């Protein structure tokens, strides 16, 4: 909490400053097998209490936190971090995987149409252009990534909110 307080004090000196703090609480970038990362969102809760006492303010959440390295985190840890004042969570690894997974699904589904420009299960002279058009596999990636973003927004409780 003391280190976050030092950052908070420094950033608060900026006139009309509006900022977020990316405090470490066991979070890491990337994704790891379950059990290899131990998040401790209680650190954020304790930091809020510490800074509230320092400021002598009424707000239970004087700091807005950013959750770096949120990919692969449990819903329980995400929600507990939100309760501590997390207003933004980074999920780059999850969105990268979702995009790749969508493209990979497209390739698996259409494998027989992606072996040559002409010739597929429908006939030896049937064209495959609509299958190997890169916009098709990219679209599958985009759709899967969009689904992942919706899931994240549900997890973060930010559907229908401004």
């Amino acid at each position: 909490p003391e280190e976050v307080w030092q950052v908070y004090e420094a950033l608060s000196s900026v006139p009309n400053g509006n900022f977020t703090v990316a405090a470490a609480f066991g979070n890491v970038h990337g994704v790891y097998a379950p059990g290899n990362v131990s998040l401790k969102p209680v650190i954020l809760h304790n930091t809020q209490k510490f800074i509230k006492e320092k400021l002598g303010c009424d707000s239970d959440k004087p700091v807005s936190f950013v959750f770096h390295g949120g990919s692969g985190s449990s819903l329980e840890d995400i929600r507990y971090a939100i309760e501590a004042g997390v207003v933004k969570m980074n999920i780059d690894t999850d969105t990268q995987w979702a995009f790749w997974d969508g493209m990979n699904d497209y390739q698996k589904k259409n494998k027989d149409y992606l072996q040559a420009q002409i010739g597929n299960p429908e006939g030896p002279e049937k064209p495959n252009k609509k299958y190997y058009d890169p916009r098709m596999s990219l679209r599958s990636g985009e759709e899967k990534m969009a689904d992942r973003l919706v899931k994240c927004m549900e997890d973060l409780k930010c559907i229908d909110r401004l």
Side-chain angles (χ1 to χ4, degrees), residues 103-115:
M103 290 181 57
N104 193 31
D105 287 348
Y106 179 86
Q107 185 276 332
K108 289 176 183 175
K109 176 182 169 190
N110 296 294
K111 183 180 180 202
D112 293 337
Y113 296 85
L114 299 170
Q115 303 306 308

Side-chain angles (χ1 to χ4, degrees), residues 36-80:
N36 288 326
V37 175
S38 177
L39 291 179
K40 296 177 179 64
V42 69
I43 291 171
L44 302 179
H45 287 269
N46 293 339
T47 300
Q48 293 286 24
K49 290 176 194 168
F50 183 86
I51 293 176
K52 178 182 178 175
E53 289 173 12
K54 287 285 193 183
L55 294 174
C57 67
D58 292 330
S59 175
D60 289 333
K61 297 178 191 170
V63 182
S64 295
F65 289 115
V66 175
F67 184 164
H68 278 260
S71 291
S73 299
S74 73
L75 183 58
E76 179 183 10
D77 283 339
I78 291 169
R79 295 273 171 89
Y80 194 49

Side-chain angles (χ1 to χ4, degrees), residues 135-146:
R135 292 171 290 193
M136 300 302 291
S137 60
L138 290 172
R139 180 68 181 153
S140 292
E142 291 168 344
E143 289 170 350
K144 194 91 172 232
M145 186 170 70

Side-chain angles (χ1 to χ4, degrees), residues 2-3 11 21 47 55 77 102 125 136 155 160 162:
E2 294 84 2
E3 292 169 339
L11 292 173
V21 175
T47 300
L55 294 174
D77 283 339
E125 296 187 16
M136 300 302 291
D155 292 350
D160 297 326
L162 293 176

